[in-house]
Amino acid sequence: MRGASPSAVLAAVLLTGCASAPPVLEPHCADPAPVEGTYHRSTPGYLVTLADDVEDPETIAHELGGKLGFRPESILATMKIFTVRTLTPDSLAALRCEPAIRRITFDEPIHLAHNTL
């Protein structure tokens, strides 16, 4: 981007990083679960946190997957979290309206510090 202003370069970088972010549709329910975090192309997917009163996270994750057309990847029953690789915009909106869902978070890369002894 020869000759471009620093702000134009920054805007282009930000738009490029977000270009493939999936759309988040507004659900048709009174109190949808929030979608939190930032989409990253390097770690596409979602972490779905279940409500505190859910007693069988594994069953609920599979039931919701069958109902809404996704496959839970990993289920962390003790933490009441499951992961989903892909959701259509309609499935994401519908999942947000399920009473068993507390929140949905975009999966984000983690960075581990390297300590030298």
Side-chain angles (χ1 to χ4, degrees):
M1 299 183 104
R2 179 174 282 180
S5 71
S7 59
V9 172
L10 178 59
V13 169
L14 291 174
L15 289 173
T16 301
C18 297
S20 61
V24 177
L25 303 177
E26 194 58 39
H28 300 289
C29 59
D31 191 24
V35 177
E36 301 174 345
T38 303
Y39 176 80
H40 293 272
R41 288 183 296 187
S42 63
T43 55
Y46 304 86
L47 301 174
V48 181
T49 304
L50 298 168
D52 291 336
D53 62 349
V54 169
E55 294 189 19
D56 188 352
E58 192 164 338
T59 298
I60 292 293
H62 287 291
E63 286 176 353
L64 290 171
K67 177 180 175 181
L68 301 175
F70 65 82
R71 185 172 69 88
E73 298 286 324
S74 300
I75 301 170
L76 303 154
T78 58
M79 297 176 67
K80 298 187 179 184
I81 294 173
F82 65 90
T83 63
V84 178
R85 174 68 65 165
T86 59
L87 288 170
T88 66
D90 289 331
S91 291
L92 176 58
L95 186 60
R96 293 178 65 198
C97 291
E98 290 291 331
I101 304 303
R102 189 165 104 203
R103 80 173 157 265
I104 301 168
T105 308
F106 284 111
D107 195 4
E108 296 186 27
I110 59 170
H111 302 281
L112 300 175
H114 177 74
N115 293 327
T116 305
L117 297 176

